[in-house]
Amino acid sequence: MYTEVFRLCGYEDDEIEKERPRIDKAFAKLGLEKEDMARAEKRLQENFDLGLQGVRKLLHVWMDELIALPLCREEYKTVIYSDWPLPGPMVMAIQRMSDDIYVGSIGEVLNLGMGIIFDKLTPILEAGEEAGLGVGKSHCALWQTHIGGITSGKIPVPDLMISPNWYCDQPAHADQLLAELYDIPTVYMDGVLDDQWGQWPEISEHMIGYMGDQMEKCIKKAEEVTGYTMTEEARQGGLQDTFALYLNFNTIVEMMAKADPQPISHADLNLAFWMFFTPLRKKELAMDGLATLIGETKARIEKGEGVVPKGAPRIYFGLRFAIDSAIFKMVEGLGLSPQVVFIDWMTPLEKTPPKSTRWADLVMEAFLRRGVVHSASGAIEYVKTYFKEWKCDGAILCWPYSCRPYTQPVMMTKKMLKEEFNVPVLLLEADAYDTRDYSAGQLRTRVETFAELLRMKKAA
Amino acid sequence: MDAMDRLKTHMDGRLRELTKKRSEGVKVVGYAPGGYMPEEMVYAAGAIPVCLIRGGDHEPVAESGAYIPRFIDTFCRSQIGYRMLEDEPIYQLVDLLIVPITDQNMRAVAETWSFYTDVDVFRHGVPCNKEEAGYQYYLGGLLRLKDKLESFTGNKIEDGKLREAIELWNRMRSLFKEISLLRKGKRPPISGEEFARLSHASLIADPPVFVEILESLLEELKKKEGAEIAGPRILLTGSTLAMGDYKVFPLVQGAGAEIVIEEFAEGIREYWNNVEPNGNLIEAIAETYFKKRVPPAWFSPSVDRIDFVLDLAKDFGVEGILWYQLLYRDAYDMQTPYFEKMVKEKADLRMLKVESDYDISERGPMKTRIEAFIEMLGTR
């Protein structure tokens, strides 16, 4: 029933045959049935450029993860769950401690698999709501999915949860709720963001040091639970896993920012973005997928091919959508070119080596250099740097329904862009992890008018 | 004149007094509630600590929508709205705002004030665990706060002045504790609402004057016998109980019950523990404010809070818990499923959760739910 779906995701027929027992078992646990396959085929064809081999390889990686997640209890000795905003290098380093360990960013895997590919996330979100992250309370949908995956029985109860408690408040509370319900050992990576206004890009050593210590505490707990020891090789591997992916991704981002017309869709690039926070079982395939996509993007630029008309208004687009690629398709379809999206681009500052010497501090310093996670002033300065570098014609900023830290600077950023760059700014209310309260169709009217405004301004 | 009348007179003149002091060059230091900003340090620096604790009005909540998206806790949005509306005078007097960063909602207050106003905003972090590293971080924050206060006021926080301030606040806390404990009896001499108003006044009043009034009040209350509580005794808990947000008290009383004790993260002064006025005073402050303070729901783990509430319920002969939370204060909303389960299992207590966005339209449904809850408790 699912052969075509897997073919579209870059699987060879013999590979599908080989994996069939695992796929059957995983799909049964996830509640994926025959009618879901037709929808997935349609979504894959509509939302992704399947002519790009890089895209197929990235889809392959996510499909692998979706199969591995419900089976992790039977296929691995120890199961550890994490999720954003836990620093990628830490979870990837823990994953590298042994092949016996499964470390999963479960929300991201379910979002990309059950959301983007199958559009069957709602029962999981509802299970999360039922468990305690109630409806209409602006709870993070990523963490509703995180909780709902477990309480719905679709994915197994882990041996350890490593819970981030430093950028947003929801993860630790959600995991605490799970811990109380299922008596799951949980370790919290605490952190405090108390740098002063305007301090970014300087980051206080006390903040880095505290979070570094907390990260080491989590690693120690992972060692206790798994019985394995964190090695220097695993630490460096964790760093390498994250930054190699990010640097390749950034190569495409910069190629796209410079190109006219925009060579590939952000819907396709979206598949790569969410990998930075997710320990992957097939890292090599992910790297290969990105390398292939770099080559394919370059080839399109050389040929002058694009997904939007040449000379289309170029915008900064302030959000990535983990479960719905249709938004990007809609924006691009209306003749706008999202030149840079969310925090995709690394500013020159972010590319300079961190000053910290201890591994954990270095990871945190690199993380906190992302203005958006440091402070509202950091987020505003970050967008300012975008506009100075890339000279966009306008911006579409989004505030997610459920993300308190990310929403804080949005209106401030709009004010800054209007005052300092005199560009039109459209604010949209949406969500990266839950599309039940909005849709691309619903937002289309506002984006359409905005696109017309930008075209007129550009022509004037 | 009895103590409550004296307090009213003092509070009526407090704004004029603050304005006068400020015109004389004394700095007014505003701070966010939550029990993590030691007022003693501000006082010892020769400045006036004033808590930004107004709440319960809808207009500031609506006003905040022009500055920040709506998915922030109601009280925190109000703190933005009151400043921007410019009609709440104390919010305009603040020279320096200190915000202990306890969660993202409180951080939003700091970020918004920094961007939209010319007020100097100082942040100091409150780790959300009670490990030694968390304590050290908090202590480091207090040392940075000390530097900030000294440079901002131009006054050194000397040990002698700090000790005096600690002793003054210790006296205030002890008096509050004594008054609070009077409510254990069958005829509490002070109602829940009166106690909340007293607590709120303490966050704005002149501390020496307030302590003097509190001394007199305690003596008066010791002699007074309140009406016998006929219905269930209620513990009120939640995220924030703001000055002006008293709607639940008449609803509970109207249903025949009485709030005899409360536990809040923000709005009710922490009075259970005093600061040891010896040794390293900043460390002593950190010990009390961070280590001894019952952790609010934003701590992980925060089950200590549940044990504390259960102890309070037992000590005050409580028969039901009223959980009053504000919209989008996520930590509290997410704690209720297991909190409710645990209080039922451990103490056979029933709980009702109500939520507010400071909107008048909530009153009707809230009244019905509270009445039904009290009735249910009465039939047990």
Side-chain angles (χ1 to χ4, degrees):
Chain A
M1 67 174 183
Y2 46 68
T3 304
E4 189 54 26
V5 172
F6 278 85
R7 281 181 187 147
L8 294 174
C9 291
Y11 282 68
E12 299 294 338
D13 283 357
D14 57 346
E15 196 180 0
I16 299 170
E17 283 314 308
K18 190 181 153 210
E19 290 293 321
R20 198 170 286 282
R22 288 181 75 237
I23 297 170
D24 288 343
K25 208 186 283 183
F27 276 20
K29 285 179 188 270
L30 292 167
L32 290 170
E33 292 164 352
K34 195 175 175 185
E35 60 267 26
D36 300 316
M37 301 306 134
R39 188 173 58 253
E41 281 175 38
K42 189 166 177 278
R43 284 172 69 82
L44 287 166
Q45 281 159 344
E46 281 178 1
N47 291 331
F48 298 103
D49 190 339
L50 298 175
L52 296 169
Q53 289 309 306
V55 169
R56 287 191 184 236
K57 286 176 186 174
L58 296 178
L59 283 166
H60 191 308
V61 173
W62 284 115
M63 202 58 116
D64 283 343
E65 289 301 323
L66 186 65
I67 297 162
L69 177 56
L71 306 180
C72 62
R73 169 60 59 214
E74 46 200 279
E75 293 184 345
Y76 294 83
K77 196 174 138 200
T78 314
V79 173
I80 300 175
Y81 289 162
S82 69
D83 246 314
W84 162 259
L86 217 54
M90 177 174 80
V91 285
M92 295 187 197
I94 295 171
Q95 176 69 78
R96 277 177 170 263
M97 278 163 46
S98 166
D99 289 341
D100 287 344
I101 306 170
Y102 174 92
V103 185
S105 294
I106 57 177
E108 308 293 4
V109 173
L110 291 172
N111 279 336
L112 270 289
M114 298 297 278
I116 279 193
I117 297 174
F118 287 102
D119 190 22
K120 206 176 182 183
L121 202 64
T122 297
I124 298 173
L125 286 163
E126 286 173 349
E129 289 170 346
E130 184 71 22
L133 277 67
V135 188
K137 302 292 176 66
S138 188
H139 288 303
C140 177
L142 172 68
W143 285 84
Q144 284 176 330
T145 296
H146 181 101
I147 282 200
I150 297 170
T151 59
S152 65
K154 293 188 190 307
I155 62 172
V157 173
D159 300 299
L160 174 67
M161 296 188 295
I162 304 178
S163 191
N165 195 20
W166 71 276
Y167 172 64
C168 49
D169 305 319
Q170 296 260 326
H173 305 315
D175 274 343
Q176 197 175 339
L177 180 62
L178 270 178
E180 293 298 331
L181 289 173
Y182 292 94
D183 198 20
I184 306 169
T186 306
V187 60
Y188 300 95
M189 192 201 132
D190 194 39
V192 185
L193 297 176
D194 61 354
D195 270 353
Q196 306 304 323
W197 184 264
Q199 189 174 325
W200 188 85
E202 286 303 314
I203 304 156
S204 296
E205 282 178 19
H206 63 261
M207 225 160 75
I208 295 171
Y210 178 63
M211 289 193 240
D213 286 346
Q214 289 287 309
M215 205 186 297
E216 290 296 344
K217 176 187 78 178
C218 295
I219 289 172
K220 200 173 165 202
K221 184 72 183 174
E223 287 180 327
E224 276 171 32
V225 170
T226 62
Y228 291 101
T229 306
M230 175 63 76
T231 62
E232 191 53 33
E233 193 187 352
R235 288 177 189 266
Q236 294 310 321
L239 269 179
Q240 172 69 17
D241 290 344
T242 311
F243 291 113
L245 275 170
Y246 209 103
L247 288 173
N248 274 335
F249 174 78
N250 196 61
T251 302
I252 304 181
V253 168
E254 292 199 351
M255 284 162 72
M256 286 175 69
K258 288 174 193 163
D260 185 15
Q262 178 188 322
I264 64 168
S265 169
H266 277 283
D268 297 323
L269 200 55
N270 210 26
L271 294 170
F273 179 82
W274 301 99
M275 289 179 175
F276 313 131
F277 321 107
T278 313
L280 302 170
R281 268 124 287 275
K282 290 191 179 161
K283 295 182 274 279
E284 297 75 18
L285 184 58
M287 285 299 291
D288 181 32
L290 269 172
T292 307
L293 199 55
I294 289 173
E296 291 173 325
T297 306
K298 198 174 168 192
R300 283 199 177 172
I301 292 169
E302 283 166 2
K303 287 181 199 162
E305 291 174 0
V307 294
V308 297
K310 191 174 169 60
R314 294 145 73 88
I315 57 163
Y316 166 66
F317 194 94
L319 194 64
R320 278 220 164 268
F321 297 87
I323 65 162
D324 185 14
S325 301
I327 303 286
F328 290 118
K329 287 289 187 188
M330 179 267 287
V331 171
E332 290 161 358
L334 290 169
L336 291 179
S337 174
Q339 189 179 16
V340 271
V341 170
F342 196 40
I343 54 166
D344 288 4
W345 181 56
M346 286 176 92
T347 61
L349 171 87
E350 290 166 308
K351 288 182 193 166
T352 56
K355 294 177 208 161
S356 303
T357 48
R358 186 174 62 148
W359 180 85
D361 294 353
L362 188 142
V363 170
M364 275 324 297
E365 187 184 338
F367 229 93
L368 289 164
R369 280 195 175 177
R370 310 303 321 250
V372 74
V373 297
H374 177 271
S375 56
S377 64
I380 294 165
E381 285 302 316
Y382 192 71
V383 175
K384 205 182 276 185
T385 314
Y386 271 143
F387 271 74
K388 282 181 184 161
E389 180 75 21
W390 301 111
K391 298 175 180 59
C392 302
D393 298 309
I396 297 180
L397 303 179
C398 300
W399 70 59
Y401 289 119
S402 54
C403 187
R404 278 162 201 83
Y406 190 70
T407 59
Q408 289 175 31
V410 172
M411 292 166 90
M412 304 174 199
T413 305
K414 176 175 179 172
K415 190 169 185 284
M416 179 278 292
L417 285 174
K418 286 181 108 47
E419 287 174 359
E420 295 192 26
F421 295 91
N422 190 29
V423 292
V425 181
L426 175 67
L427 280 184
L428 295 179
E429 197 169 277
D431 198 279
Y433 305 119
D434 184 357
T435 55
R436 289 174 299 168
D437 295 316
Y438 75 99
S439 69
Q442 179 195 335
L443 300 177
R444 185 183 172 89
T445 314
R446 294 189 68 204
V447 176
E448 202 163 22
T449 317
F450 185 68
E452 195 54 42
L453 173 78
L454 287 181
R455 274 192 287 272
M456 283 163 59
K457 199 164 183 272
K458 210 168 178 208
Chain B
M1 186 188 278
D2 69 13
M4 282 300 204
D5 288 339
R6 279 174 59 206
L7 179 60
K8 185 176 182 311
T9 307
H10 174 68
M11 293 307 285
D12 286 348
R14 184 61 174 154
L15 181 63
R16 273 195 307 278
E17 192 177 75
L18 285 172
T19 310
K20 184 170 174 284
K21 290 264 186 193
R22 191 168 180 254
S23 70
E24 290 165 356
V26 181
K27 301 289 185 194
V28 175
V29 176
Y31 66 94
Y36 287 102
M37 206 300 291
E39 296 144 285
E40 293 98 317
M41 290 174 67
V42 177
Y43 195 72
I48 304 171
V50 174
C51 185
L52 301 187
I53 188 62
R54 280 291 306 177
D57 307 308
H58 184 66
E59 197 191 0
V61 179
E63 174 71 10
S64 70
Y67 304 95
I68 196 154
R70 60 199 162 107
F71 305 110
I72 301 289
D73 160 68
T74 309
F75 174 76
C76 292
R77 275 180 289 148
S78 299
Q79 303 319 297
I80 297 158
Y82 282 121
R83 169 72 194 193
M84 301 307 172
L85 279 169
E86 297 182 4
D87 59 4
E88 183 63 34
I90 283 182
Y91 284 69
Q92 307 306 316
L93 289 179
V94 171
D95 296 303
L96 167 69
L97 174 65
I98 300 171
V99 183
I101 305 294
T102 46
D103 72 348
Q104 284 296 331
N105 295 285
M106 208 39 96
R107 187 165 162 247
V109 176
E111 302 293 61
T112 314
W113 275 60
S114 282
F115 185 79
Y116 293 107
T117 79
D118 55 4
V119 175
D120 192 349
V121 180
F122 182 82
R123 299 150 178 79
H124 74 96
V126 181
C128 288
N129 68 55
K130 286 207 171 187
E131 295 161 9
E132 179 59 21
Y135 165 73
Q136 290 298 336
Y137 192 96
Y138 179 73
L139 178 60
L142 291 193
L143 293 171
R144 288 187 291 280
L145 173 62
K146 180 173 180 278
D147 291 344
K148 176 69 185 179
L149 287 167
E150 288 179 341
S151 65
F152 191 77
T153 59
N155 302 323
K156 197 125 185 74
I157 299 178
E158 289 159 355
D159 265 13
K161 284 182 189 168
L162 188 55
R163 187 169 292 107
E164 264 177 46
I166 288 171
E167 281 167 355
L168 181 63
W169 259 267
N170 277 350
R171 185 67 193 135
M172 193 193 299
R173 285 184 279 259
S174 298
L175 287 162
F176 263 113
K177 190 173 172 181
E178 278 193 74
I179 292 171
S180 184
L181 293 174
L182 292 176
R183 298 182 292 171
K184 280 184 169 185
K186 284 184 179 170
R187 294 175 174 272
I190 183 168
S191 72
E193 181 171 348
E194 284 168 333
F195 189 85
R197 286 179 184 271
L198 200 60
S199 185
H200 291 148
S202 79
L203 300 169
I204 291 172
D206 183 33
V209 174
F210 186 80
V211 166
E212 207 184 302
I213 292 172
L214 221 47
E215 303 262 13
S216 307
L217 180 66
L218 176 63
E219 292 312 310
E220 287 172 20
L221 292 175
K222 278 180 181 170
K223 293 172 199 155
K224 185 181 165 189
E225 201 171 53
E228 187 169 341
I229 298 173
R233 298 166 66 89
I234 304 295
L235 182 149
L236 179 66
T237 188
S239 55
T240 316
L241 189 64
M243 184 182 223
D245 184 19
Y246 302 115
K247 60 181 167 289
V248 296
F249 293 99
L251 296 179
V252 169
Q253 278 183 331
E258 179 62 54
I259 291 163
V260 293
I261 185 67
E262 54 293 297
E263 187 279 328
F264 276 86
E266 295 162 347
I268 295 294
R269 174 178 292 285
E270 164 69 24
Y271 52 81
W272 297 106
N273 301 290
N274 274 335
V275 177
E276 183 60 47
N278 300 310
N280 183 320
L281 297 178
I282 302 289
E283 283 179 12
I285 287 173
E287 181 82 17
T288 297
Y289 276 76
F290 186 77
K291 275 193 185 170
K292 292 182 188 167
R293 169 135 166 55
V294 176
W298 29 85
F299 271 55
S300 294
S302 71
V303 283
D304 286 357
R305 178 175 168 261
I306 301 173
D307 291 337
F308 177 72
V309 169
L310 286 173
D311 286 347
L312 280 183
K314 193 178 166 198
D315 288 351
F316 283 78
V318 162
E319 292 154 275
I321 295 175
L322 180 58
W323 179 291
Y324 176 71
Q325 69 180 38
L326 299 177
L327 189 61
Y328 304 139
R329 203 61 182 259
D330 41 359
Y332 274 81
D333 193 51
M334 288 157 85
Q335 193 171 78
T336 47
Y338 59 89
F339 186 99
E340 189 168 11
K341 188 168 165 265
M342 285 169 89
V343 296
K344 193 175 174 186
E345 284 172 3
K346 290 186 176 182
D348 194 28
L349 283 169
R350 298 295 182 272
M351 180 182 118
L352 172 70
K353 176 167 95 173
V354 293
E355 191 171 56
S356 175
D357 195 31
Y358 295 162
D359 194 321
I360 191 76
S361 65
E362 298 156 356
R363 197 175 293 257
M366 201 180 277
K367 181 171 184 281
T368 309
R369 295 190 64 215
I370 288 175
E371 281 173 354
F373 177 62
I374 305 292
E375 197 181 326
M376 184 269 288
L377 290 178
T379 58
R380 289 187 79 216

